[in-house]
Amino acid sequence: MAVLRPIRGLESSSALDLKQAPVLLGRNPERCDVVLEHFAVSREHARVEIIDSTFYIEDLKSRNGVRLNGRRITPGVEGRQRLWPGDRIEIAAFEFRFEEEPSTDDMVHLSNDTEKPDILSTLPVGTDSSKQSGRTSKLGKLHILVGIIEDLSSELDFEKVLPKIVSSLLRAFPQSQNGCVLLRNDGEEFVPAAVQRTDGKDTPVQVSRTILDEVVSNRQAILSSDATKDSRFEDSGSNRELKLNSVMSAPLLDRHDVVFGVLQLEVLDGDQPFTAEDLELLSAVATHLAVVIENSRLHDSALREQRTEFETRFRKLVEGSLQGILIHRMFRPLFVNDAWASLHGYTVEEVLAMDSVLPLIAADEHDKAMAFAEARLRGDDVPSRYEGRELRKDGAPIWVEKFVSVIDWDGSPAVQTAVVDLSHRKQADDALRQAHEELEQRVADRTAGLGRSNRDLEQFAYSASHDLQAPLRTIASYCQLLQQRYGEQLDERANEFLSGAIDGVKRMKRLLDDLLRYSRVTTQSHPFQATDCDEVLQDVLRNLKVQIEECKATITNSELPTIYCDSTQLMQLLQNLIGNALAYRADAPPQIQIGVEERPEEWGFSVQDNGIGIDPRHFERIFQIFQRLYAEHERPGSGIGLSLCKRIVERHGGEISVQSTPGRGSTVFFTIPKLSEEWRPGTQG
């Protein structure tokens, strides 16, 4: 007999008989033989059918598919799969196991005989196995029985061990044709728990009710050597019909000496009846088997009590939790607490009345939620948490963080989802992101405005410094002509005034020249290229040769690298720094050292002197345009030199600073990043 045994999803655990195959499974009650009420099940989802005495399952092109042993089968006839005993079939929230074996309920028939058989031997059976001798003359039989005792000692699940025990007993007593274990059910009826026969027939095993009643009433194992020849058994029609030659039957007693089962072996039409020694061995097995079954039942009862206690404590814990908790099987709610229901705008009763909570998840996240739940049930390695959108009763979206796990609920796996409301955090994140975007836009607008202003100012400075050169040259020329032609006619004071005007024009020209160079840093710059710093330094020293010789300066340098830069501006930079060291010298001859240090991403340069030094209060000020620390008559200059240096260094993506002690000289540090040929000014972050 082939059956589909429900494992998950159906309230009834009774097997679904497939003898009337094909069997249609789906949601349509009018057409389907097995109705599966669930939103994820198609109206006609799958079919089990027989082809050449073999069972197959076919996915009828359902929406959510059919899984066989965890793998989704191809829809349609081409994906039809053969079923083997033990195969697991999953359809949405439902799971079945395919079984193809005779049912024990159909393999035993209790015959109502009227006469009491002639009992050749009886043996008391109790929970103390030490009273059973277990003697036998056959060593092989003893070995088999020892194996039976070992099986019983190592197994708590008696349903698994019973068929093995019967099979071993049939091997130990090869003259037996039938063996069975009968257990008392809740209705006080004895029903088969394990049945086997050695003759290959598939007809039910006939058990004598007279013998069964004798065993139960006397709580003793009995042996009937040959019931068919017993004079007291002649009128028992069932025994003649059953052709019982020899029967051994032993009771299974609980710790209160109450019979809850019977272990029985039978010989039909045989010439090797059982002996009293055989009965002792069977009684020993029955004693141990009774202990195993009772321990198993006690174990199951303890587990049920433990599960009940756990579920009670669990309910108390989660029902009062502030965190929303939902337990479901493929989104059919099994349990929900107040926090989860309230978050979605429902009562607990309203949620539990739903066929599915999937509609409370945003429509575009249905597939993700279903795939995630299925993956967790399969035990796939997926994260235990994710964020998503769910819906309130009024349709308003809720952002939640979900923590998904698989738990045992009423003996079957279920999905537990704990949710945390992220609405306030999402609102704060959205507000922060919007504020950040607005700030970035304002900064970008302000930066663009400043860039335009700077470019305008640079252009103005360049134009002004360039255009003012011509009037200054005119003033200087006329002043010089006046002094040359009419100098003798002017008195000493007039000549002094005229000389002052010419000096002022010269200073103005020098200032405009410096301003013009400052503006040209960006307006008339040159492309970056590989530049030998040592060659640039030699050009600088040639340009400053007169000043160097006049003050008897000594200039030394480390080995300088080749770098990517604007070579003209590097020359301006070094010439300004060395020129400042010469201009702001002390009484001793200047000692100037140009050094360099290679770093992972930049070159660090330094220009060190032994001049008059700078007060630390002015370290920032000296790099500002037109800022001077000394009067013109004390130290000549325009106040643009160091600000020009700063502008050049920043255009190259570097930084410049100074360290100094008044009276002990100064050191100017600047960096030039290590750049490639592809780098262009203005691309640095």
Side-chain angles (χ1 to χ4, degrees):
M1 181 179 69
V3 298
L4 286 183
R5 190 169 300 280
I7 303 300
R8 171 168 50 89
L10 289 181
E11 295 181 1
S12 173
S13 60
S14 59
L16 306 174
D17 193 351
L18 298 178
K19 63 184 178 181
Q20 299 298 328
V23 173
L24 190 62
L25 299 91
R27 195 158 43 88
N28 187 345
E30 297 179 359
R31 295 183 56 84
C32 294
D33 304 292
V34 180
V35 179
L36 306 177
E37 295 182 358
H38 193 275
F39 72 95
V41 177
S42 299
R43 293 180 62 80
E44 295 180 14
H45 201 106
R47 178 171 52 233
V48 177
E49 55 188 326
I50 303 176
I51 301 175
D52 296 331
S53 301
T54 302
F55 284 88
Y56 290 84
I57 186 166
E58 177 185 343
D59 179 356
L60 301 177
K61 299 182 179 179
S62 62
R63 185 175 72 243
N64 293 309
V66 176
R67 293 183 179 276
L68 183 62
N69 298 322
R71 294 188 176 183
R72 186 165 181 168
I73 66 175
T74 302
V77 176
E78 63 275 11
R80 182 189 291 150
Q81 295 291 316
R82 179 177 179 178
L83 292 175
W84 299 90
D87 279 350
R88 291 186 304 107
I89 302 167
E90 294 177 72
I91 298 176
F94 304 92
E95 184 176 353
F96 304 89
R97 183 174 62 245
F98 176 71
E99 298 177 358
E100 192 175 19
E101 59 184 8
S103 169
T104 55
D105 294 338
D106 300 327
M107 293 183 64
V108 172
H109 176 68
L110 291 176
S111 298
N112 295 315
D113 41 16
T114 58
E115 294 292 334
K116 181 177 179 181
D118 191 13
I119 306 302
L120 296 182
S121 178
T122 63
L123 185 68
V125 178
T127 56
D128 186 0
S129 61
S130 63
K131 296 179 182 178
Q132 315 298 334
S133 65
R135 292 179 288 105
T136 180
S137 60
K138 296 181 179 180
L139 185 60
K141 184 181 299 184
L142 181 61
H143 286 165
I144 293 176
L145 295 177
V146 169
I148 292 175
I149 301 301
E150 291 177 350
D151 286 340
L152 290 172
S153 301
S154 61
E155 182 62 65
L156 272 176
D157 188 350
F158 72 88
E159 292 182 354
K160 292 182 179 179
V161 79
L162 287 182
K164 296 169 62 176
I165 299 303
V166 175
S167 178
S168 297
L169 287 172
L170 292 177
R171 292 200 308 275
F173 302 101
Q175 69 270 41
S176 305
Q177 281 86 44
N178 299 330
C180 65
V181 177
L182 305 178
L183 298 179
R184 193 193 301 268
N185 62 17
D186 294 338
E188 296 298 314
E189 293 289 331
F190 283 91
V191 295
V195 181
Q196 289 190 29
R197 56 189 306 162
T198 61
D199 56 10
K201 297 180 180 179
D202 57 1
T203 56
V205 172
Q206 303 289 332
V207 174
S208 170
R209 187 177 294 276
T210 304
I211 295 176
L212 178 64
D213 291 342
E214 184 73 19
V215 172
V216 173
S217 60
N218 294 322
R219 297 196 299 278
Q220 290 184 334
I222 65 172
L223 166 63
S224 176
S225 179
D226 190 348
T228 61
K229 297 179 181 179
D230 194 311
S231 59
R232 296 187 60 189
F233 207 61
E234 292 177 355
D235 294 335
S236 177
S238 63
N239 279 333
R240 288 194 299 272
E241 180 183 350
L242 299 179
K243 299 179 181 180
L244 296 178
N245 181 271
S246 184
V247 177
M248 285 194 301
S249 187
L252 304 177
L253 302 176
D254 63 16
R255 62 184 183 277
H256 303 297
D257 282 341
V258 175
V259 179
F260 66 86
V262 173
L263 175 61
Q264 182 165 307
L265 295 180
E266 301 173 352
V267 176
L268 306 177
D269 296 330
D271 57 0
Q272 295 182 9
F274 296 123
T275 67
E277 291 180 345
D278 294 339
L279 184 63
E280 289 185 9
L281 290 173
L282 184 69
S283 299
V285 173
T287 299
H288 284 279
L289 179 58
V291 172
V292 168
I293 293 176
E294 188 170 26
N295 286 345
S296 177
R297 287 175 170 175
L298 290 173
H299 177 70
D300 290 343
S301 176
L303 286 179
R304 285 194 298 271
E305 291 178 3
Q306 185 179 17
R307 184 182 298 115
T308 301
E309 181 183 0
F310 169 77
E311 290 182 357
T312 300
R313 294 171 59 189
F314 174 80
R315 287 178 181 273
K316 289 182 179 179
L317 177 65
V318 301
E319 282 176 354
S321 173
L322 296 177
Q323 190 177 58
I325 296 177
L326 167 73
I327 299 174
H328 66 88
R329 287 197 182 99
M330 290 310 293
F331 301 97
R332 182 175 185 176
L334 305 173
F335 171 84
V336 65
N337 67 352
D338 287 331
W340 195 96
S342 298
L343 177 64
H344 294 78
Y346 292 90
T347 65
V348 170
E349 292 73 20
E350 287 176 325
V351 175
L352 293 179
M354 297 178 181
D355 291 333
S356 171
V357 294
L358 195 61
L360 301 186
I361 298 175
D364 59 345
E365 295 191 9
H366 282 190
D367 291 343
K368 175 182 177 182
M370 293 178 65
F372 200 91
E374 289 178 355
R376 294 294 292 175
L377 282 170
R378 290 194 304 270
D380 294 351
D381 186 16
V382 295
S384 61
R385 57 171 293 276
Y386 70 98
E387 293 183 6
R389 287 177 295 112
E390 298 193 348
L391 303 175
R392 288 179 54 82
K393 189 175 185 179
D394 58 7
I398 322 166
W399 271 102
V400 295
E401 184 175 26
K402 304 180 185 182
F403 298 84
V404 183
S405 58
V406 176
I407 64 171
D408 180 85
W409 188 264
D410 290 336
S412 298
V415 177
Q416 174 180 284
T417 303
V419 299
V420 177
D421 185 4
L422 300 181
S423 300
H424 295 303
R425 196 190 80 181
K426 286 292 183 180
Q427 291 172 1
D429 289 346
D430 291 342
L432 183 61
R433 181 169 56 253
Q434 183 177 356
H436 182 69
E437 291 173 354
E438 291 177 356
L439 181 59
E440 283 188 336
Q441 186 59 47
R442 290 171 61 186
V443 170
D445 294 342
R446 180 68 60 85
T447 301
L450 289 174
R452 288 190 297 271
S453 298
N454 286 338
R455 287 192 297 273
D456 293 343
L457 288 173
E458 289 169 359
Q459 188 61 40
F460 171 76
Y462 175 78
S463 299
S465 57
H466 181 271
D467 295 345
L468 288 175
Q469 296 285 344
L472 281 178
R473 284 194 295 269
T474 301
I475 294 172
S477 297
Y478 279 112
C479 286
Q480 289 171 352
L481 285 173
L482 184 62
Q483 191 176 45
Q484 291 172 4
R485 294 183 182 182
Y486 303 101
E488 295 179 356
Q489 300 177 22
L490 300 174
D491 57 18
E492 182 179 352
R493 191 163 183 81
N495 276 310
E496 183 180 343
F497 291 158
L498 193 57
S499 296
I502 293 173
D503 290 341
V505 169
K506 290 180 179 179
R507 289 197 303 274
M508 187 64 169
K509 184 178 186 307
R510 194 162 57 244
L511 180 62
L512 290 174
D513 288 341
D514 288 344
L515 183 60
L516 189 61
R517 282 195 298 272
Y518 184 84
S519 65
R520 283 174 175 170
V521 170
T522 55
T523 58
Q524 295 188 12
S525 55
H526 297 83
F528 284 22
Q529 58 185 3
T531 300
D532 187 339
C533 294
D534 188 66
E535 292 183 2
V536 173
L537 178 62
Q538 297 307 313
D539 290 340
V540 169
L541 296 181
R542 282 192 289 271
N543 293 341
L544 297 175
K545 182 178 180 181
V546 175
Q547 294 94 312
I548 293 172
E549 291 177 348
E550 283 181 354
C551 58
K552 299 179 181 179
T554 302
I555 301 177
T556 58
N557 62 276
S558 305
E559 183 178 353
L560 301 180
T562 295
I563 64 174
Y564 279 95
C565 66
D566 183 331
S567 58
T568 301
Q569 291 185 354
L570 179 63
M571 181 185 297
Q572 287 180 315
L573 174 63
L574 292 176
Q575 189 162 314
N576 275 10
L577 294 178
I578 295 173
N580 273 3
L582 296 174
Y584 293 91
R585 61 183 180 274
D587 295 336
Q591 301 287 332
I592 302 172
Q593 167 67 29
I594 294 92
V596 67
E597 175 188 0
E598 183 175 8
R599 299 168 188 165
E601 297 182 355
E602 63 184 12
W603 296 99
F605 292 87
S606 62
V607 178
Q608 182 179 11
D609 64 47
N610 61 341
I612 60 176
I614 305 171
D615 192 315
R617 293 178 302 169
H618 304 310
F619 284 174
E620 295 292 334
R621 180 184 171 194
I622 60 175
F623 291 107
Q624 298 174 10
I625 191 169
F626 299 134
Q627 294 298 315
R628 295 174 48 83
L629 302 183
Y630 300 94
E632 175 69 22
H633 66 278
E634 295 177 310
R635 303 283 177 178
S638 61
I640 293 180
L642 286 177
S643 60
L644 177 63
C645 292
K646 183 178 184 223
R647 193 171 179 83
I648 292 173
V649 170
E650 288 178 345
R651 177 175 178 257
H652 285 73
E655 297 178 345
I656 189 168
S657 61
V658 65
Q659 292 293 326
S660 179
T661 300
R664 299 181 62 180
S666 305
T667 303
V668 177
F669 300 94
F670 66 91
T671 60
I672 301 293
K674 292 181 176 179
L675 308 174
S676 63
E677 292 186 70
E678 293 78 14
W679 191 89
R680 293 291 182 270
T683 62
Q684 68 270 26

